[in-house]
């Protein structure tokens, strides 16, 4: 057969262009896929880091509040022991409590309530309206129940949070006073939720997170 001298057709511009850009286009696509994966990984790590930071801050806040509450429980227990030994007069009670409240401003007041639910001693003596607390009888069933539970268990009992006359949220700590096996009464410490958070937590915690106090 005669040999053909016809050369194969020269590649067109379209074919040249297609072949020339195929490699870079593939590399660009792979780069975008890899970059997207890296961004997702970075975002996931950032979220994990934020979540871990939030958990650490929550634990630190919980520990700080618990330490503050334990300190107040300990003080009320020591006060109850001194009262059980008749080591306090009303005037000494007021001086000691007022001094303690200066260093622990989350506590609004501390009162001594006898077994008839009457406030015998209180520091400070006056409420926000300037009326004396001494001599008032506790009639609200919730604090009465907390006092009874504290007496039965012989350990501190907390009330549920409530709204005060001023509109603040607070709760009370009840610690029983026993002279040998005879119940003398209870000590009631009123604690402000807002003050507790403000003095137990750091400014950094408030700057980074919204903080609220909930029951456990």
């Amino acid at each position: 057969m005669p040999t053909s001298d016809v050369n194969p057709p020269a590649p067109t511009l379209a074919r040249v262009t297609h072949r020339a850009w195929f490699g870079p286009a593939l590399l660009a696509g792979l780069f975008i896929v890899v970059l997207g994966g890296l961004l997702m990984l970075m975002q996931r790590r950032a979220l994990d880091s934020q979540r871990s930071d939030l958990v650490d801050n929550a634990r630190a806040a919980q520990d700080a509040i618990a330490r503050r509450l334990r300190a107040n429980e300990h003080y009320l227990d020591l006060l109850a022991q001194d009262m059980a030994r008749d080591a306090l007069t009303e005037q000494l009670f007021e001086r000691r409590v007022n001094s303690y409240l200066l260093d622990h401003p989350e506590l609004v007041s501390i009162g001594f309530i006898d077994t008839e639910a009457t406030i015998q001693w209180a520091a400070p003596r006056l409420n926000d309206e300037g009326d004396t607390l001494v001599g008032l009888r506790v009639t609200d069933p919730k604090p009465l129940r907390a006092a009874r539970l504290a007496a039965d268990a012989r350990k501190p009992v907390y009330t549920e949070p409530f709204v005060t006359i001023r509109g603040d949220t607070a709760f009370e700590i009840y610690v029983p006073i026993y002279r040998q096996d005879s119940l003398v009464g209870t000590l009631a410490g009123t604690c402000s939720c807002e003050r507790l958070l403000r003095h137990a937590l750091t400014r950094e915690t408030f700057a980074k997170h919204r903080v609220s106090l909930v029951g456990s």
Side-chain angles (χ1 to χ4, degrees), residues 83-156:
M83 295 183 68
R85 295 186 293 106
D86 283 330
L88 292 179
T89 63
E90 184 175 1
Q91 291 72 23
L92 183 55
F93 171 88
E94 290 183 29
R95 286 201 301 270
R96 283 182 53 177
V97 170
N98 284 328
S99 177
Y100 184 82
L101 296 183
L102 289 176
D103 295 329
H104 299 79
E106 69 275 10
L107 278 177
V108 178
S109 65
I110 296 176
F112 163 46
I113 305 173
D114 65 15
T115 54
E116 301 299 323
T118 300
I119 302 175
Q120 295 294 335
W121 298 349
R125 289 179 62 89
L126 304 180
N127 60 19
D128 295 330
E129 286 70 38
D131 300 325
T132 182
L133 297 172
V134 176
L136 295 180
R137 186 177 176 85
V138 179
T139 58
D140 192 315
K142 292 182 179 179
L144 290 176
R145 179 175 180 272
R148 185 175 64 255
L149 290 174
D152 292 342
R154 296 199 177 197
K155 65 179 183 180

Side-chain angles (χ1 to χ4, degrees), residues 1-9:
M1 295 179 58
T3 60
S4 172
D5 295 331
V6 179
N7 294 326

Side-chain angles (χ1 to χ4, degrees), residues 13-27:
L13 180 61
R15 290 177 181 173
V16 173
T17 302
H18 176 72
R19 291 174 182 174
W21 282 97
F22 179 76
L26 179 60
L27 291 177

Side-chain angles (χ1 to χ4, degrees), residues 53-105:
D53 181 63
L54 179 61
V55 170
D56 291 341
N57 287 335
R59 288 175 179 171
Q62 185 179 24
D63 291 342
I65 292 173
R67 285 194 301 270
R68 204 88 180 183
L69 293 177
R70 282 196 299 268
N72 292 334
E73 287 181 16
H74 181 65
Y75 178 76
L76 289 171
D77 186 61
L78 291 177
L79 206 60
Q81 293 179 33
D82 287 343
M83 295 183 68
R85 295 186 293 106
D86 283 330
L88 292 179
T89 63
E90 184 175 1
Q91 291 72 23
L92 183 55
F93 171 88
E94 290 183 29
R95 286 201 301 270
R96 283 182 53 177
V97 170
N98 284 328
S99 177
Y100 184 82
L101 296 183
L102 289 176
D103 295 329
H104 299 79

